[in-house]
Amino acid sequence: MASAAASAHIQATPTLCAAAKPPLQMHSEHPQRKRVLFVTSEFADLIKCGGLGDVSAALPRALSPQHDIRLLIPGYRQVVESGRPIRIVGQLPGLAALPPCQIGRMDLADGLIVYVLLNPALYERNGSPYVDDQGRDWADNHIRFARLGLAAAEIATGDAGIQWRPELVHANDWPAAMAPAYMAWRQASTPSLLTIHNLAYQGLCDMRCASELAIPESACGVDGLEFYGQLSFLKAGIAYAQHVTTVSRRYAREITTPEQGCGLDGLLRAKVQIDQLSGIANGIDESWHPESDPHLLQGFSAGDWAGKRANAAYVQQWLGLDDDGPLFAVVSRLVQQKGIDLTLQVAEHIVARGGRIGVIGQGEPALEAVMAELGRRHPGRIGVHIGFDESDARRLYAGSDFLLMPSRFEPCGLSQMYAQRYASLPIARCTGGLADTIEDGVNGFLFDAPRADAYRQAIDRALQVFDHPELLEAMRCQAMSAPLYWHQSVQPYDRLFQRLLSQATAYRALR
Ligand code: ADP
Ligand code: GLC
């Protein structure tokens, strides 16, 4: 196994090792300014598989004027080979089957500090953070992401040797959800917050892995991590974090119901009872600006659509589409959640009504294959690109007239907001964050039942609007001003941080 320090761009500094525990009060210039460790498995500057990557890049930056917020991410190949220098600042010992690691520090140009968990054997692989080149989950994902959670706990308790100690740990989704649990088992006095971006991914592993992960036996029951005979990382986070948020208000309610609770609704309802579950909506970051986005072929603004047409012309050529008819976009992970099967059922209808469909996405191999086949059956009318590229995705949002997003569930959804900002009207199911961010007939179209007939009716309404230029213009203008930038989320997060910290102080005083 290559040592982490031997990897490209990583420099070891001789000043680390058995450093004394840093005092809890260091570096807070202002009493309200708190030190927060944001733990995540994606970070769009370096690697993303979906919206979690976008949020992890945007939310810490939006909060950084108020707080000293730093990230902890795994040292995937895309991270250590990004060309950004990484300085080794900490060492972590092994525990059970969780191997020793180093902590590197990456200072980004805008001042954001990213701690990188380094262990080449665990993280430096070809493939995505979660799956190999064939789309199979990495067999040791439980080790890889338990290690991430444990590292966060070690940083929180001052046992990582880095000269910084958070006052709050903010864990995101199942890959980081063991952090609150390891913190509790280590009696950390630091409070933790878990944000659920998607309840459907829970990080399940065999109950027999408990000893490999150093999970105490007492935590393996139904009141702990046990979930229908397996261990659930997400359940660990929900059980041990002092507070749980999700990424829209409506999804926060939906996950307390048996229909959308993925088997965890009882536990989540109990969290509501004690005021420990709430929804804080995602925003979009300021790079999503149609006039200045450098990814676009040409910028545009409301009422001046020449730039929109230039992006449409690019997309047309790139996807081999004819140059007539409304353009419907799909920019999506190709997974069951996104209702791709419903889009397959309405695609012929769109083509029959003179529309074109442009698709960019990747995901489950079976859905990729049927999508690609759909494109082959309709040359010139449906163009499919399997894969993902940020510039092409942005040009498709900008060049399209409508975005298809018939999600079966949607915790928040960023794609519909990106589309709105770029004057592409979303046609979406009325669920989760889609219901919270789209006003039917004003800045997009909503339909209720997850069925092709309901979807088709919404598409027909959109086509009627397309045929009335003054209506289309009005809806585009409404859509462009609808999505909120991250500023709107700063205050609710800020209030929550302050609340968790004052509760923790009160609790410490009682002990
Ligand atoms: P989700 O996180 O469930 O995929 P969101 O709407 O919150 O849905 O976020 C989608 C974000 O991910 C957008 O930035 C979109 O352009 C991007 N995206 C879509 N498909 C992919 C993909 N296959 N790989 C990487 N990013 C993708
Ligand atoms: C998840 C959800 C999506 C949400 C994103 C960022 O991937 O599926 O709805 O917008 O996380 O929070």
Side-chain angles (χ1 to χ4, degrees):
M1 185 206 304
S3 89
S7 302
H9 306 292
I10 299 179
Q11 312 142 3
T13 51
T15 49
L16 42 102
C17 310
K21 284 192 181 189
L24 206 57
Q25 289 310 317
M26 57 188 284
H27 293 320
S28 277
E29 299 85 350
H30 185 278
Q32 298 303 323
R33 186 170 168 80
K34 302 300 177 192
R35 296 182 303 277
V36 181
L37 183 68
F38 188 94
V39 191
T40 180
S41 55
E42 297 178 31
F43 174 53
D45 291 40
L46 303 170
I47 180 157
K48 81 163 177 176
C49 303
L52 173 63
D54 289 356
V55 173
S56 303
L59 177 59
R61 288 184 164 109
L63 288 165
S64 63
Q66 278 82 13
H67 301 288
D68 175 5
I69 177 156
R70 304 185 183 190
L71 270 72
L72 174 67
I73 60 172
Y76 309 117
R77 172 155 292 155
Q78 296 88 335
V79 174
V80 295
E81 293 180 358
S82 69
R84 293 170 175 86
I86 298 176
R87 188 161 48 92
I88 306 293
V89 292
Q91 304 280 355
L92 305 175
L95 176 71
L98 307 179
C101 291
Q102 292 180 310
I103 297 190
R105 172 176 162 157
M106 195 185 252
D107 288 72
L108 300 186
D110 61 0
L112 188 68
I113 295 171
V114 179
Y115 292 114
V116 182
L117 184 61
L118 296 165
N119 183 303
L122 280 193
Y123 303 119
E124 289 183 42
R125 302 175 179 179
N126 294 330
S128 95
Y130 317 113
V131 297
D132 66 17
D133 283 338
Q134 268 70 54
R136 291 174 303 226
D137 282 355
W138 295 112
D140 58 351
N141 270 347
H142 60 300
I143 304 278
R144 299 169 72 237
F145 293 110
R147 193 67 194 86
L148 180 67
L150 178 62
E154 289 167 309
I155 294 174
T157 51
D159 292 318
I162 66 175
Q163 295 303 305
W164 184 83
R165 204 171 153 193
E167 293 159 277
L168 177 81
V169 170
H170 183 176
N172 290 273
D173 262 354
W174 77 266
M178 287 297 284
Y182 284 118
M183 287 166 69
W185 300 328
R186 295 180 158 233
Q187 271 128 31
S189 52
T190 317
S192 60
L193 163 66
L194 172 74
T195 294
I196 300 174
H197 296 261
N198 197 328
L199 189 68
Y201 299 93
Q202 298 190 4
L204 299 177
C205 69
D206 198 293
M207 185 61 81
R208 282 170 300 199
C209 299
S211 58
E212 286 179 75
L213 306 183
I215 297 174
E217 224 181 288
S218 57
C220 292
V222 70
D223 293 330
L225 279 67
E226 194 266 344
F227 183 76
Y228 295 99
Q230 291 186 290
L231 293 171
S232 162
F233 280 28
L234 197 66
K235 191 176 173 198
I238 297 170
Y240 288 99
Q242 275 67 45
H243 195 89
V244 177
T245 59
T246 184
V247 285
S248 70
R249 302 206 12 193
R250 177 154 167 155
Y251 191 62
R253 290 196 302 276
E254 289 173 345
I255 58 177
T256 62
T257 65
E259 297 74 39
Q260 298 231 43
C262 301
L264 289 168
D265 47 292
L267 179 58
L268 291 163
R269 280 195 298 278
K271 283 272 175 186
V272 173
Q273 296 292 315
I274 50 174
D275 197 17
Q276 287 188 1
L277 172 66
S278 55
I280 302 180
N282 288 335
I284 66 174
D285 76 78
E286 283 166 27
S287 72
W288 291 90
H289 201 292
E291 281 179 74
S292 58
D293 183 344
H295 294 280
L296 299 188
L297 265 289
Q298 193 181 318
F300 61 97
S301 56
D304 173 11
W305 307 116
K308 192 162 171 70
R309 284 193 294 273
N311 286 288
Y314 167 85
V315 167
Q316 218 168 276
Q317 203 191 16
W318 165 55
L319 293 175
L321 292 170
D322 302 339
D323 67 357
D324 61 300
L327 178 58
F328 294 74
V330 175
V331 183
S332 181
R333 291 184 295 117
L334 300 179
V335 294
Q336 202 261 354
Q337 171 193 348
K338 301 293 177 181
I340 302 298
D341 54 323
L342 293 173
T343 294
L344 290 166
Q345 290 175 53
V346 300
E348 313 255 335
H349 179 73
I350 290 175
V351 171
R353 301 277 322 258
R356 300 167 297 163
I357 307 177
V359 181
I360 178 169
Q362 62 186 26
E364 291 164 12
L367 286 176
E368 289 182 355
V370 280
M371 236 345 158
E373 172 54 26
L374 183 73
R376 280 193 291 274
R377 277 210 309 274
H378 297 278
R381 305 311 299 178
I382 302 183
V384 178
H385 177 84
I386 301 297
F388 192 80
D389 175 84
E390 187 67 25
S391 297
D392 287 334
R394 287 180 183 238
R395 290 168 188 178
L396 184 50
Y397 287 122
S400 55
D401 300 296
F402 302 105
L403 177 85
L404 298 173
M405 206 162 166
S407 307
R408 292 183 183 278
F409 65 94
E410 196 61 72
C412 178
L414 298 169
S415 292
Q416 82 281 7
M417 293 195 267
Y418 297 153
Q420 286 174 322
R421 177 69 86 223
Y422 286 2
S424 176
L425 302 174
I427 302 172
R429 259 207 75 224
C430 187
T431 183
L434 296 171
D436 284 356
T437 54
I438 298 172
E439 214 178 322
D440 186 44
V442 176
N443 53 32
F445 302 90
L446 290 171
F447 63 97
D448 271 313
R451 285 196 321 260
D453 57 337
Y455 191 9
R456 242 179 252 120
Q457 282 171 18
I459 289 166
D460 287 345
R461 286 195 288 129
L463 287 169
Q464 276 169 16
V465 168
F466 189 79
D467 287 339
H468 291 84
E470 71 295 349
L471 270 182
L472 182 66
E473 172 93 8
M475 282 191 75
R476 281 181 172 177
C477 293
Q478 290 280 351
M480 289 179 87
S481 57
L484 297 167
Y485 284 122
W486 274 103
H487 310 305
Q488 44 107 30
S489 321
V490 165
Q491 213 187 26
Y493 273 109
D494 191 37
R495 269 202 297 265
L496 181 58
F497 287 179
Q498 304 297 349
R499 178 181 133 193
L500 294 176
L501 286 159
S502 50
Q503 281 169 357
T505 311
Y507 181 66
R508 268 197 300 271
L510 283 176
R511 284 205 294 188

